[in-house]
């Protein structure tokens, strides 16, 4: 095994300072990239998708739960599988308490091609309580390019898609796939993918922080049982 070099505390501090300068530059670049993502145009979804979940049938608009934004995790679970993808399962295990997303007007749901009766026992086995829907009878996965035909058969890939709601109109704002999910899971990392972002005053483009009313960023996160939904 190749281990880090052993140095004095003084040498370590010098090396750490040099690396910190690069980390700060990467943070500034990431914020600039997030702002560019928020400036992406959006596409209206005029196709009717009907999913199945714990409360029966649901449209894409229903998945918003009345909130302004929606993040969908395209969870790999083909109709013939007995269990969901291990990688997708590890990703869902990293998702924090949804209260922090919901406080910023953002819903989160997993969507899979497997019929809901197959999803339900696996969801119970994993101990997840977040919303999970079946897209079994829809073209949702094909339309959002997570299920594709390859050499005469359908293949799956993981992904995340972000949506914005304006009254009853739904818009697709962003999607990322496969390795694009590697550094995601925290509330802020997920909000950074959305059109409204973290809704903090320092973010560009200006004006998104008050899109849902009073800005939330100034007060910082609360305990998850302190939010008013």
């Amino acid at each position: 095994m190749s281990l880090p070099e052993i140095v004095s505390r003084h040498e370590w501090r010098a090396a750490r300072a040099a690396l910190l300068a690069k980390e700060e530059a990467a943070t500034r670049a990431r914020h600039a990239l997030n702002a560019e993502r928020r400036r992406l145009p959006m596409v209206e979804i005029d196709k009717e998708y009907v999913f199945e979940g714990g409360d029966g049938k649901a449209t894409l608009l229903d998945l918003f739960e009345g909130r302004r934004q929606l993040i969908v995790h395209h969870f790999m679970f083909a109709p013939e599988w007995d269990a969901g993808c291990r990688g997708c399962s590890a990703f869902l295990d990293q998702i924090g308490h949804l209260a922090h997303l919901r406080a910023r007007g953002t819903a989160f749901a997993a969507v899979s091609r497997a019929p809901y009766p197959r999803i339900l026992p696996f969801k119970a086995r994993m101990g997840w309580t977040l919303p999970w829907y079946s897209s079994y009878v829809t073209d949702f996965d094909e339309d959002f390019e997570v299920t594709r035909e390859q050499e005469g058969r359908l293949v799956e890939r993981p992904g995340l898609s972000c949506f914005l709601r304006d009254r009853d109109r739904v818009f697709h704002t962003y999607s990322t796939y496969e390795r694009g999910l590697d550094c995601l899971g925290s509330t802020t990392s997920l909000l950074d993918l959305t059109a409204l972002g973290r809704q903090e005053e320092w973010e560009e483009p200006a004006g998104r922080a008050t899109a849902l009313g009073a800005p939330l960023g100034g007060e910082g996160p609360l305990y998850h049982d302190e939010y008013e939904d």
Side-chain angles (χ1 to χ4, degrees), residues 11-212:
E11 291 172 306
W12 181 88
R13 284 176 176 157
R16 178 67 188 96
L19 179 61
L20 178 60
K22 295 179 180 180
E23 289 176 336
E24 290 174 339
T27 297
R28 291 190 293 270
R30 186 173 68 251
H31 288 328
L33 183 62
N34 291 339
E36 189 172 346
R37 183 185 296 112
R38 288 189 291 272
R39 291 187 178 96
L40 278 174
M42 58 187 184
V43 179
E44 185 166 7
I45 305 299
D46 52 14
K47 190 171 186 177
E48 186 73 15
Y49 299 105
V50 180
F51 307 94
E52 185 178 358
D55 295 325
K57 304 296 183 183
T59 65
L60 185 58
L61 185 62
D62 293 329
L63 271 57
F64 281 77
E65 302 173 329
R67 298 179 173 86
R68 190 70 184 275
Q69 297 191 122
L70 167 67
I71 299 173
V72 168
H73 176 212
H74 301 285
F75 190 109
M76 292 171 58
F77 197 157
E80 66 274 16
W81 296 359
D82 293 323
C85 163
R86 287 183 171 86
C88 293
S89 299
F91 177 82
L92 273 196
D93 281 337
Q94 299 176 95
I95 299 297
H97 203 291
L98 294 185
H100 301 293
L101 281 174
R102 290 167 174 169
R104 279 153 176 77
T106 304
F108 182 94
V111 173
S112 300
R113 280 201 308 129
Y116 194 70
R118 280 186 178 265
I119 292 173
L120 197 57
F122 182 70
K123 179 182 178 182
R125 171 188 166 187
M126 294 292 101
W128 296 324
T129 58
L130 52 76
W132 196 347
Y133 296 89
S134 168
S135 58
Y136 180 58
V137 297
T138 77
D139 298 325
F140 184 75
D141 299 85
E142 290 88 343
D143 290 348
F144 286 89
E145 302 178 21
V146 290
T147 299
R148 298 169 295 170
E149 186 172 342
Q150 183 175 313
E151 297 179 354
R153 63 188 183 91
L154 293 178
V155 296
E156 312 276 332
R157 66 171 173 168
L160 278 180
S161 290
C162 299
F163 301 89
L164 181 70
R165 180 177 68 87
D166 183 9
R167 298 181 177 85
D168 290 339
R169 300 173 70 190
V170 174
F171 300 88
H172 176 218
T173 60
Y174 183 74
S175 285
T176 188
Y177 307 98
E178 298 172 320
R179 294 293 296 275
L181 279 68
D182 281 358
C183 296
L184 302 177
S186 67
T187 297
T188 51
S189 69
L190 293 172
L191 289 173
D192 283 343
L193 302 183
T194 67
L196 300 182
R198 304 182 192 186
Q199 298 150 48
E200 297 177 353
E201 292 288 4
W202 59 269
E203 288 183 307
E204 294 291 336
R208 304 275 175 97
T210 55
L212 302 174

